[in-house]
C-alpha cells in the first residue's frame, strides 16, 4: 500500500503545480468568478456544497496552497454561518487525512529511529495532547499543514487530533468566512488576520493551555 500511496500523492501534487491550478486559488480569481459561483450555488445548492468541500478536503490532505482563499470563498459563496460549517468540515477532514497519511508512511520509521528521544514528548501528548494541539490551532504560530504532518509522526491519538482540530479552527474559519462575505473590501488574505484578531486568538490559545499546564504542575507536586 505504501508503495502505491506515496507515488500517487506525489503525482497529484506535481500535477497541481504543472497544470498551474493554483491560479484559481487567488483572491483576484475569486473576485472575478464570484458572481458565477454564487449563481451556481443558488441553482445547485447541494452540488455546490459537495464540490466545494471535496476541493477543500483535497487541498488540505495534499498540503497544497490556497486554504485562506478557500475559507474566504466559503463565506463569499455560502454566507458566514454555512460557510464556516462547510470550511470547518472540509479543513478538519483534510487535516485528518494528512495526519493519517503521515502516520501510515513515516510514523514507524521516525519512532524507531528517534523513539527514545521523543518518549517524553509522546508521553506528554498522550496525556495532554488536546490542550497543546488546541493551542496550535487557535494561534497560527506554525503552518496548518505542518502541524498535520508533524502530529502524525507522534503518538498523539487520532480522536484527540480530530476533535482538537475541529474545535480549534472554528474561530479562524469564522473570521475568514466573515471577511469573505464582504469580499469586495478585501485586498489580500493577510489583511484578514489583523494584529487585533491575532491577539484575540492568542488569548483564546492561552486559555486552551491552562488544563495542560495545570495537569503538568499537579503531576510534579510531591
Amino acid at each position: 500500500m505504501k508503495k502505491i500511496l506515496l507515488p500517487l500523492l506525489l503525482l497529484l501534487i506535481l500535477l497541481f503545480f504543472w497544470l498551474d491550478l493554483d491560479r484559481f486559488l487567488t483572491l483576484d480569481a475569486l473576485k472575478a468568478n464570484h458572481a458565477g459561483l454564487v449563481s451556481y450555488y443558488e441553482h445547485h445548492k447541494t452540488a455546490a456544497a459537495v464540490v466545494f468541500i471535496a476541493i477543500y478536503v483535497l487541498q488540505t490532505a495534499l498540503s497544497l496552497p490556497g486554504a485562506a482563499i478557500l475559507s474566504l470563498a466559503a463565506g463569499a459563496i455560502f454566507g458566514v454561518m454555512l460557510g464556516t460549517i462547510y470550511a470547518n468540515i472540509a479543513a478538519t477532514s483534510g487535516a485528518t487525512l494528512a495526519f493519517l497519511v503521515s502516520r501510515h508512511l513515516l510514523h514507524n520509521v521516525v519512532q524507531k529511529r528517534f523513539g527514545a528521544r521523543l518518549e517524553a514528548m509522546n508521553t506528554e501528548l498522550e496525556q495532554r495532547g488536546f490542550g497543546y494541539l488546541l493551542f496550535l490551532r487557535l494561534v497560527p504560530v506554525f503552518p496548518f499543514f505542518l502541524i498535520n504532518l508533524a502530529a502524525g509522526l507522534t503518538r498523539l491519538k487520532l480522536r484527540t487530533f480530530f476533535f482538537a482540530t475541529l474545535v480549534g479552527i472554528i474561530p479562524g474559519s469564522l473570521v475568514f468566512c466573515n471577511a469573505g462575505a464582504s469580499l469586495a473590501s478585501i485586498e489580500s488574505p493577510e489583511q484578514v488576520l489583523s494584529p487585533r484578531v491575532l491577539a484575540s486568538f492568542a488569548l483564546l490559545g492561552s486559555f486552551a493551555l491552562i488544563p495542560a499546564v495545570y495537569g503538568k504542575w499537579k503531576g510534579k507536586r510531591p
Side-chain angles (χ1 to χ4, degrees):
M1 183 65 177
K2 291 182 180 180
K3 293 180 179 179
I4 299 175
L5 183 59
L6 185 56
L8 178 61
L9 293 175
L10 290 175
L11 177 62
L12 290 173
I13 293 171
L14 287 173
L15 282 174
F16 175 83
F17 290 105
W18 183 58
L19 297 173
D20 194 24
L21 297 180
D22 56 333
R23 70 184 186 277
F24 297 111
L25 297 176
T26 65
L27 186 58
D28 289 339
L30 176 58
K31 287 184 175 183
N33 295 288
H34 180 222
L37 292 170
V38 171
S39 177
Y40 181 82
Y41 169 61
E42 290 174 349
H43 293 88
H44 310 279
K45 293 185 182 295
T46 302
V50 169
V51 170
F52 171 81
I53 291 174
I55 291 173
Y56 205 150
V57 168
L58 188 62
Q59 175 274 327
T60 307
L62 295 177
S63 303
L64 298 170
I69 297 301
L70 287 172
S71 294
L72 287 173
I77 299 169
F78 307 111
V80 178
M81 295 311 299
L82 272 181
T84 300
I85 292 172
Y86 292 157
N88 191 279
I89 290 173
T92 302
S93 301
T96 303
L97 287 176
F99 171 91
L100 290 172
V101 168
S102 175
R103 174 154 294 182
H104 181 68
L105 292 178
L106 300 171
H107 176 266
N108 290 340
V109 175
V110 171
Q111 290 299 325
K112 285 180 181 178
R113 185 163 184 177
F114 305 104
R117 301 178 191 177
L118 298 175
E119 186 58 34
M121 184 186 71
N122 279 324
T123 301
E124 187 70 14
L125 287 175
E126 287 177 337
Q127 295 175 354
R128 290 174 276 272
F130 185 89
Y132 291 125
L133 184 57
L134 189 59
F135 170 80
L136 291 175
R137 291 309 195 195
L138 287 168
V139 184
V141 179
F142 299 103
F144 189 81
F145 79 93
L146 190 59
I147 297 173
N148 301 335
L149 300 178
L153 304 179
T154 69
R155 290 208 304 262
L156 184 71
K157 295 178 181 178
L158 174 60
R159 66 174 178 270
T160 301
F161 177 87
F162 178 84
F163 286 109
T165 300
L166 183 69
V167 174
I169 66 174
I170 289 175
S173 298
L174 185 58
V175 166
F176 271 90
C177 288
N178 185 59
S182 303
L183 188 63
S185 63
I186 302 298
E187 297 179 1
S188 70
E190 292 76 16
Q191 178 186 342
V192 179
L193 294 178
S194 65
R196 185 174 181 177
V197 170
L198 289 174
S200 300
F201 286 172
L203 181 61
L204 286 173
S206 65
F207 285 119
L209 279 181
I210 290 176
V213 173
Y214 175 74
K216 195 173 180 64
W217 172 77
K218 188 177 181 181
K220 289 183 177 180
R221 291 182 63 187

